[in-house]
Amino acid sequence: MTLVNAYAAYARKLKLDISKQLKMFDDLAKNFSDLTTKPGYSFPGQDAVDEEVLRQFEKEVKEKVKVARSMIVESKESYDNQIKIQKLKDTIFAVNEQLGKAKKNGGIASSISAKSIPKSLHCLAMRLVEERIAHPENYTEQEPSPAIEDPSLYHYALFSDNVIAVSVVVRSVVMNAEEPWKHVFHVVTDRMNLAAMKVWFRMRPVEGGAHVEIKAVEDFPFLNSSYVPVLKQLESSYMQNYYYKNQGENGSSADASNVKFRNPKYMSMLNHLRFYLPELYPKLHKVLFLDDDVVVQKDLTGLWKIDLDGRVNGAVETCFGSFHRYSHYLNFSHPLIRENFNSKACAWAFGMNIFDLDAWRREKCTDTYHHWQNLVSFCASLRFSQFIYEC
């Protein structure tokens, strides 16, 4: 569509230029014709010509020839194929540059829009903390319920800093559960939102006797930069520039489709906690991982009855045609990727996954994740690093 518009714009301009040139050349030809019939310049049958008249005639002819030559030079590019091709290439390049910037601005705008919340919820976390400070007696720490580590119950993992989103997920599960008292929710947030999350669920207890455990990333001491590659990468200036440097105004058009991949949330520990489920919950055998943008509409207990046949996780397949193939997430021009992955292999939706933690431990999946994360420092490909947290 962009190319068609570029060609059309150039063709219209070309047509206009040519029509102007046609009129100018017609006028110039008419001027030459008129000059020979101009009174005083008729010399038929005369043996002797007035020298002054001839000199004046020559002067006017030279002036008109000079104008004609100038017009021919200016018009030449309209009839030179190489020049026309180059002009068209320049036009297409300029249009593509504008398109790239428009795509990038659109991506940033949609990202801002997706994160926007109603005005009534602005500063919600701050208001919840204010409530805790004003009434500390209502929010004293309680002993954890034995259900938190009971492997016979249905356990869910939610990692988010969004209070409302977590509340929606939890309540939608409970509302549709046949036995809500058997459901246990493990919520992990960051330190800044921990108090707000706890106040919210204390003020609005979950119905049906469901259990909610709320912790911060910092409550798990093993999650440190000496063990977790992504935390170590955050210390590097390259990663900080890649994810946190302003990309909106001066980024190249090639980055337009990748704006969403450069979101700093992808370097948040909350986004990588899913790869440490067996260590976060060492006494559990199965966990259902839910993203914070999920709304549950039916009872999920049947997922725990699925026989995974020794596999680590069960997920919803989203492949049809080329959609969600590895080729969309990985840079297969890189030899490491080309040798270890199949470009046609199917990815999956991470919004809801049932994990067999025993199989995870047996297969040492976290070690495999660490292996590929450690290679990120040596692989500059955006799509390669995107794969690390997607799959």
Side-chain angles (χ1 to χ4, degrees), residues 85-236:
I85 290 170
Q86 187 57 49
K87 271 198 164 187
L88 187 55
K89 284 182 177 179
D90 293 343
T91 304
I92 292 170
F93 178 79
V95 171
N96 279 331
E97 284 289 302
Q98 291 176 354
L99 180 64
K101 288 181 180 179
K103 278 186 177 180
K104 172 162 283 195
N105 291 336
I108 293 171
S110 63
S111 176
I112 294 171
S113 175
K115 295 176 185 176
S116 299
I117 58 174
K119 191 173 182 180
S120 61
L121 297 179
H122 285 186
C123 304
L124 175 63
M126 190 180 296
R127 283 150 50 194
L128 290 170
V129 173
E130 184 182 11
E131 163 66 20
R132 182 186 178 109
I133 293 171
H135 306 96
E137 68 281 358
N138 296 336
Y139 305 103
T140 55
E141 293 294 330
Q142 299 177 337
E143 286 295 319
S145 167
I148 298 300
E149 295 183 337
D150 186 348
S152 66
L153 301 180
Y154 305 114
H155 293 264
Y156 300 81
L158 287 92
F159 307 140
S160 173
D161 58 1
N162 189 321
V163 177
I164 294 294
V166 170
S167 179
V168 169
V169 177
V170 171
R171 293 179 194 283
S172 67
V173 172
V174 172
M175 283 175 60
N176 291 280
E178 294 179 3
E179 299 174 305
W181 59 89
K182 290 186 177 181
H183 295 256
V184 182
F185 298 89
H186 302 271
V187 179
V188 180
T189 186
D190 54 26
R191 183 163 46 192
M192 188 170 67
N193 290 281
L194 178 63
M197 197 80 75
K198 287 184 174 182
V199 171
W200 177 271
F201 280 98
R202 189 71 67 85
M203 292 175 69
R204 297 166 178 78
V206 180
E207 301 84 356
H211 310 275
V212 179
E213 176 196 45
I214 302 172
K215 286 190 172 185
V217 174
E218 291 76 14
D219 292 330
F220 301 94
F222 73 90
L223 296 173
N224 54 67
S225 59
S226 63
Y227 177 65
V228 180
V230 71
L231 293 178
K232 188 173 183 179
Q233 290 164 17
L234 271 176
E235 297 172 356
S236 75

Side-chain angles (χ1 to χ4, degrees), residues 2 6 60 111 118 151 246 311 337:
T2 304
E60 288 194 36
S111 176
N246 179 23
R311 293 177 176 83
I337 301 300

